[in-house]
């Protein structure tokens, strides 16, 4: 069976790469715990602030804005200080931001909540890009497609975070005590794990041999390997057609995944008249299905290939969303949530792998693809919140059919590069 990786990425793994893989896996896990901890307590945030559906959409948009402001710089930051330091620095910023936000909810200070979410969004966005970059480095060192397993670790973390969130909500644990405790523990674990990361500087070393030739052939796409990537390198990457199309694949996946994280718990609570703990269970069902599919993802991708799996998952996500939105029974709707979770599982990790097929430009392309993907969190919360004000949360989620269809149309862009050492085709200036 094919490993679905370019030949130059099929070297024998080293013991250090295996240790690094476990370290990356754990960092993904704690990132998932932190995200689901916040998502599972969104009903408490809504109740604490007394916000309407539209107001909640705008509030959640604040964190996405923070991510979008910071993400375009993530490739430069990680190439200069390394993925490990980037993860620690921005995990700390995320912890500080969410601490401010939850304390402000408890004190009924909506403006301060937005400040905290903006900072938390900046931290989460760059932390996410850096750990995906490190995951790509480890994937290259191991010589096989393992990115879905890292994202399965993220999903395992979200399942644990959602389950703990349901218990905390049921037990009446205060929002600040719950969220701040989890964020501090997450940060300590990240600090411990990054000691085992593979250095991302090896990509620059690989690029050094071809940098001069690239500069002579096409100055617009040359990569500075002396002190890390530059703004000029980043802007050039935004002109690569394949990178932008992969970004659309990730955008569709992020919308289907992010909408569930933001709205499933509220849609279950309001749509079926249940309490907050059942809403958290609905989110946990989605996350469990996503996790199981990601764990099986590596073998499925090796057997059927990236593009086929992207299309199968897109179709499943579409069916799951429609079932959840339209059926009258809570239990049947939860089956739809499970199918939705399975369908949303592989788009993001496969997009990250596709962006990093050429290790020389992995940092820049992961940065661009992540930025496009995170724009889902800019558009999604506000749009769905606005629609929910008029038609309810469940019917509002039907809008996800549009990005899923787009993802199906452009899935072919994620086909693995084979032996490409130079840049992909760029858009006309």
């Amino acid at each position: 069976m094919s490993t679905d990786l370019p030949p130059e990425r099929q070297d024998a793994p080293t013991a250090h790469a295996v240790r690094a893989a476990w370290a990356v896996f754990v960092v993904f896990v704690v990132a998932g715990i932190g995200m689901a901890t916040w998502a599972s307590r969104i009903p408490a945030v809504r109740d604490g602030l007394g916000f309407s559906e539209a107001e909640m959409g705008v509030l959640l948009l604040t964190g996405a804005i923070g991510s979008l402001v910071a993400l375009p710089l993530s490739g430069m930051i990680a190439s200069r200080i390394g993925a490990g330091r980037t993860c620690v620095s921005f995990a700390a910023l995320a912890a500080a931001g969410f601490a401010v936000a939850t304390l402000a909810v408890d004190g009924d200070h909506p403006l301060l909540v937005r400040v905290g979410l903006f900072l938390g969004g900046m931290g989460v966005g760059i932390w996410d890009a850096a750990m995906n970059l490190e995951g790509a480095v480890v994937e290259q060192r191991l010589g096989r497609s393992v990115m879905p397993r890292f994202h399965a670790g993220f999903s395992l973390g979200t399942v644990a975070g959602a389950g703990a969130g349901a218990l905390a909500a049921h037990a009446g644990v205060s929002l600040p005590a719950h969220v701040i405790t989890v964020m501090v523990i997450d940060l300590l674990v990240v600090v411990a794990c990054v000691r085992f990361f593979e250095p991302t500087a090896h990509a620059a070393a690989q690029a050094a041999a071809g940098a001069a030739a690239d500069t002579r052939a096409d100055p617009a796409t040359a990569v500075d390997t002396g002190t890390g990537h530059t703004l000029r390198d980043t802007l050039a990457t935004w002109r690569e057609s394949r990178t932008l199309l992969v970004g659309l694949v990730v955008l569709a996946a992020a919308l289907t995944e992010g909408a569930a994280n933001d709205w499933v718990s509220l849609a279950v609570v309001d749509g079926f008249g249940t309490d907050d703990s059942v809403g958290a269970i609905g989110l946990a069902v989605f996350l469990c299905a996503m996790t199981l599919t990601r764990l099986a993802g590596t073998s499925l991708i090796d057997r059927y290939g990236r593009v086929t799996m992207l299309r199968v998952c897109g179709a499943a996500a579409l069916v799951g969303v429609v079932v959840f939105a339209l059926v009258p029974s809570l239990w049947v709707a939860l089956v739809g949530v499970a199918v939705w979770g399975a369908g949303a599982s592989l788009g993001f990790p496969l997009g990250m792998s596709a962006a990093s097929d050429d290790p020389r430009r992995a940092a820049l392309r992961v940065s661009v693809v992540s930025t496009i993907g995170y724009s889902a969190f800019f558009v999604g919360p506000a749009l769905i919140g606005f629609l929910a004000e008029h038609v309810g949360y469940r019917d509002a989620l039907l809008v996800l059919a549009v990005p899923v269809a787009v993802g199906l149309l452009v899935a072919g862009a994620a086909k693995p590069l084979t032996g490409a050492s130079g840049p992909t085709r760029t858009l006309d200036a």
Side-chain angles (χ1 to χ4, degrees), residues 278-289:
V278 178
I281 289 171
L283 177 61
V285 168
F286 174 88
L287 297 173
C288 283

Side-chain angles (χ1 to χ4, degrees), residues 91-176:
L93 180 61
F98 284 109
V100 169
T102 54
L103 289 169
V105 170
D106 202 46
D108 194 21
H109 299 295
L111 179 59
L112 197 55
V113 174
R114 290 182 172 88
V115 172
L117 289 181
F118 182 84
L119 295 175
M122 291 182 67
V124 167
I126 296 189
W127 175 10
D128 182 273
M131 70 183 185
N132 273 287
L133 175 60
E134 178 64 23
V137 171
V138 171
E139 186 176 63
Q140 293 153 13
R141 289 296 180 90
L142 292 176
R144 58 183 183 272
S145 180
V146 295
M147 190 69 83
R149 292 185 179 174
F150 294 143
H151 284 259
F154 182 87
S155 296
L156 285 170
T158 59
V159 171
L167 292 175
H170 182 72
V173 177
S174 73
L175 178 68

Side-chain angles (χ1 to χ4, degrees), residues 55 139 145 160 187 191 234 244 256-257 282 342 422:
E55 287 174 322
E139 186 176 63
S145 180
L187 176 58
V191 170
T234 300
L244 296 179
T256 54
E257 180 180 349

Side-chain angles (χ1 to χ4, degrees), residues 308-328:
T308 297
M309 290 309 304
L310 283 170
R311 289 172 176 160
V312 169
C313 285
L318 182 59
V319 170
V321 169
V322 170
V323 169
F324 175 73
L326 300 181
V327 300

Side-chain angles (χ1 to χ4, degrees), residues 24 27-28 31 71 78 83 87 124-140 147-148 150-151 154 197 200 250 294 348-353 355-356 362-363 366-367 369-370 374:
V24 172
V27 170
F28 270 82
L71 266 171
C87 283
V124 167
I126 296 189
W127 175 10
D128 182 273
M131 70 183 185
N132 273 287
L133 175 60
E134 178 64 23
V137 171
V138 171
E139 186 176 63
Q140 293 153 13
M147 190 69 83
F150 294 143
H151 284 259
F154 182 87
F197 275 18
T200 56
V250 173
R294 283 176 169 171
F348 208 103
L350 288 181
M352 293 299 106
S353 289
S356 61
V366 166
S367 172
V369 168
S370 296
Y374 265 85

Side-chain angles (χ1 to χ4, degrees), residues 199-291:
T200 56
H202 84 280
Q206 289 178 336
D214 284 342
T215 302
R216 291 191 298 270
D218 188 356
T221 57
V223 175
D224 177 4
T225 59
T227 59
H229 298 311
T230 67
L231 180 60
R232 183 165 170 265
D233 301 326
T234 300
L235 294 175
T237 307
W238 278 95
R239 297 177 57 243
E240 295 177 354
S241 56
R242 177 182 183 267
T243 301
L244 296 179
L245 290 174
V246 170
L248 288 179
V249 172
V250 173
L251 173 64
L255 275 169
T256 54
E257 180 180 349
N261 292 328
D262 286 340
W263 300 112
V264 159
S265 58
L266 278 175
V268 170
V269 170
D270 289 6
F272 295 98
T274 63
D275 60 30
D276 288 359
S277 62
V278 178
I281 289 171
L283 177 61
V285 168
F286 174 88
L287 297 173
C288 283
M290 175 175 283
T291 302

